[in-house]
Amino acid sequence: MSTPSPAAPPVIRVSHLTKRYGAQVVVDDLSFDVAAAETLVLLGPSGCGKTTLLKMLNRLLEPDGGTVEINGQDVRRQRPEALRRGIGYVIQQVGLLPHYTVAQNIGVVPGLLGRPAAETAARTSALLERLHLPAARFAALLPAQLSGGQAQRVGLARALAADPPLILLDEPFGALDPLTRAAVRRDFRELDELRRKTVVLVTHDVQEAFELADRILLLHTGRLQQLGTPRELLLRPANDFVRRFFGPERLALQLRVTALAEVQPFLAPSTPAALHGLPTIAASASVHEALARLADAGAAGLRLADKPHQLTQGALLAAFGRVLADEAALS
Amino acid sequence: MKTLSELLTFWHEQAGKLGQQTLQHIALTAAALLLGVAVGVPLGLWLTRRPRWAPAVLGAAGVLQTVPSIALLGFLIPWLGIGATPAILALLLYSLLPIIRNTVAGIQAVPPAVVEAARGLGFTDGQLLRRVELPLALPVIMAGIRTATVINVGVATLAAYVAAGASASLSSAALRLIIQ
């Protein structure tokens, strides 16, 4: 969620990690680092080994070769339970304990860590409020009484309850309908404390990967295809698989990786009168974000921060087309 | 009508014995049941951790279940003599199958996602068992214990034949009366 500082030591260091099921190699000699406060998305088609890889980070699965170090310490030197209590974990099917209330579910890890109950209660209410589940209404409910979206919000709160510096998420939004998925994803993205946390998220949803990732690790048949920013993967694919993987959604992804600053040279200036009173958007925001905000607001337009440009859908798309044409001409 | 009044007279005469033997019947059933739970539930739990053994153990318990109760007591008497011991052992063997099978079924019915999430949050194996698996499997395990109870109450009547002193001896006396 933020740019990692290159000087800080990696939170996760994976070296030559390998996992086999019988004769089949599901994770094949993977090595990579994850920096503090970085969001790394493990992306790839079904069966590419991304979930297996994630589960080896918190020792739910043991590798057949290679090492995982978290904060410089080999995970095999730590008791698995102690390791896992320090790492948030969210799965697609949520897995709330059905006989615990919402509040008890969220309080599980602080309880295991022996934190004071009063502190946990306060933290639980705060998290529920932030995830738009008012504690007064939801804290005493059982998981069976929640909708899918509400249950996964509780799942997120449960992973964050003990304030772990590292969070692993396995297709956290995969089981939700598109509208709910977008809403839960937005709330997840807007959680302030996530900006300080190191996040590893598994998904097969390319749009989701581009929306959330600082860097994407693209996997295919257990092998690393490319590791880089969404922009690098899209514009400088390392091989044919990477190119083909993004092919069908190329245009939509390009909207996500193109910043307003890039289209700005192709925007016509507007008069001060037209700009008056328009909500502003930062030049670092993507064209996709600007279009989404325009669609949401239904307003006359947005103003590019500190620039005399009124952004409308037509003007944005025309300028974006010019950027694409320029890129095509260059390559 | 004559038989019925004779039966009532018989019960009336034996009222003191009837109460005592009812208590013995209950004690016999309860003892066997407690042992059945003490053996069956841990065995069932062990099978959920070693599923390879499940068919063999459940099969053996199933075979025991098919042995007619009189025959089973017949097998046990030469070995254990007569008295409460063979009776309790027989009842214990009959209670095993429903208890083991329901323990296995109950634990296996806990959603895998719940188990994975609990592990991922940092539950130890013991905590997972005590705080997640057993509470969720409890209704199914209890149903197995209930089935075992029903079986045992019925089979305990036959314990009279090994002189375990249950109300069975009265029942058989009453039965003789009716047959006459």
Side-chain angles (χ1 to χ4, degrees):
Chain A
M1 297 276 158
S2 67
T3 326
S5 96
V11 171
I12 305 177
R13 168 159 284 171
V14 171
S15 316
H16 303 291
L17 202 64
T18 300
K19 177 77 184 172
R20 292 182 205 92
Y21 288 131
Q24 200 194 353
V25 183
V26 282
V27 170
D28 194 355
D29 195 29
L30 285 180
S31 301
F32 59 90
D33 287 353
V34 186
E38 183 183 18
T39 297
L40 178 74
V41 171
L42 307 180
L43 180 67
S46 300
C48 69
K50 51 196 192 295
T51 293
T52 306
L53 171 57
L54 188 81
K55 285 183 179 176
M56 285 192 284
L57 300 183
N58 66 353
R59 289 192 68 186
L60 283 174
L61 290 174
E62 299 290 349
D64 292 311
T67 57
V68 175
E69 284 173 27
I70 291 185
N71 296 319
Q73 207 189 358
D74 191 329
V75 292
R76 276 171 303 181
R77 299 247 177 87
Q78 304 169 54
R79 276 181 45 235
E81 296 81 28
L83 174 77
R84 292 175 199 146
R85 286 171 196 172
I87 302 176
Y89 188 57
V90 182
I91 57 175
Q92 179 175 358
Q93 309 88 335
V94 193
L96 295 178
L97 307 185
H99 55 310
Y100 281 24
T101 64
V102 164
Q104 286 170 329
N105 264 290
I106 297 174
V108 160
V109 185
L112 290 172
L113 292 168
R115 304 249 173 100
E119 186 188 300
T120 305
R123 171 90 176 135
T124 301
S125 310
L127 276 169
L128 281 173
E129 299 292 338
R130 242 172 290 161
L131 287 159
H132 303 118
L133 300 173
R137 237 184 87 202
F138 286 94
L141 293 187
L142 287 170
Q145 296 167 286
L146 302 175
S147 70
Q150 291 165 347
Q152 194 54 288
R153 284 166 204 265
V154 175
L156 290 170
R158 182 172 65 173
L160 292 166
D163 203 14
L166 168 61
I167 301 194
L168 309 178
L169 305 104
D170 188 0
E171 302 261 11
F173 316 113
L176 307 174
D177 66 82
L179 273 180
T180 312
R181 183 186 316 172
V184 177
R185 202 157 74 190
R186 191 183 53 234
D187 291 341
F188 171 73
R189 212 181 45 209
E190 287 171 0
L191 281 173
D192 258 345
E193 51 191 281
L194 277 174
R195 283 173 231 287
R196 292 183 281 109
K197 294 187 189 299
T198 310
V199 176
V200 181
L201 182 140
V202 165
T203 185
H204 61 260
D205 181 334
V206 176
Q207 299 285 339
E208 184 170 298
F210 272 62
E211 180 178 327
L212 299 174
D214 292 319
R215 286 192 304 159
I216 293 175
L217 193 162
L218 184 61
L219 272 174
H220 179 50
T221 61
R223 294 210 189 91
L224 193 153
Q225 304 296 319
Q226 191 170 358
L227 172 60
T229 63
R231 192 184 173 88
E232 283 166 359
L233 266 72
L234 189 67
L235 301 181
R236 293 199 299 280
N239 59 33
D240 252 5
F241 175 81
V242 182
R243 200 187 327 272
R244 274 186 288 119
F245 193 76
F246 297 120
E249 291 168 83
R250 186 161 195 88
L251 199 60
L253 297 176
Q254 204 128 18
L255 287 171
R256 288 188 185 272
V257 300
T258 307
L260 291 176
E262 293 172 79
V263 300
Q264 193 248 332
F266 302 107
L267 291 167
S270 311
T271 61
L275 294 171
H276 183 75
L278 288 179
T280 61
I281 185 165
S284 61
S286 70
V287 177
H288 178 94
E289 276 177 82
L291 289 172
R293 274 186 62 181
L294 281 169
D296 256 5
L302 285 167
R303 180 188 174 167
L304 190 57
D306 307 322
K307 294 283 189 314
H309 301 293
Q310 182 190 2
L311 304 177
T312 60
Q313 213 177 34
L316 262 175
L317 286 175
F320 175 68
R322 297 278 300 276
V323 174
L324 288 190
D326 268 18
E327 265 170 21
L330 280 174
S331 62
Chain B
M1 275 320 278
K2 184 168 164 286
T3 314
L4 186 62
S5 67
E6 271 181 29
L7 189 63
L8 288 173
T9 319
F10 174 78
W11 277 346
H12 188 70
E13 284 165 1
Q14 308 285 340
K17 243 178 158 180
L18 196 67
Q20 183 215 350
Q21 294 195 355
T22 303
L23 281 180
Q24 277 176 329
H25 188 120
I26 292 172
L28 205 62
T29 314
L33 210 59
L34 279 177
L35 282 173
V37 172
V39 175
V41 172
L43 199 56
L45 292 177
W46 180 76
L47 287 183
T48 61
R49 303 302 194 248
R50 301 269 188 299
R52 267 183 337 122
W53 288 88
V57 174
L58 288 174
V63 167
L64 281 175
Q65 204 77 32
T66 63
V67 179
S69 40
I70 291 186
L72 184 63
L73 288 166
F75 286 129
L76 292 176
I77 289 166
W79 183 39
L80 292 168
I82 51 177
T85 316
I88 288 178
L89 185 62
L91 294 180
L92 163 67
L93 293 178
Y94 281 118
S95 65
L96 279 183
L97 180 67
I99 294 177
I100 298 176
R101 197 183 44 204
N102 279 45
T103 303
V104 173
I107 298 285
Q108 283 176 346
V110 177
V114 172
V115 175
E116 190 199 326
R119 277 194 194 290
L121 295 172
F123 279 98
T124 62
D125 285 350
Q127 287 167 332
L128 182 68
L129 186 67
R130 283 193 309 276
R131 293 173 58 178
V132 181
E133 290 179 310
L134 276 180
L136 291 178
L138 200 62
V140 183
I141 297 177
M142 286 311 291
I145 295 174
R146 253 194 305 279
T147 308
T149 312
V150 172
I151 294 173
N152 274 5
V153 169
V155 175
T157 316
L158 289 163
Y161 295 105
V162 292
S167 63
S169 55
L170 267 185
S171 311
S172 51
L175 203 62
R176 252 176 269 132
L177 208 69
I178 294 167
I179 295 166
Q180 280 164 7

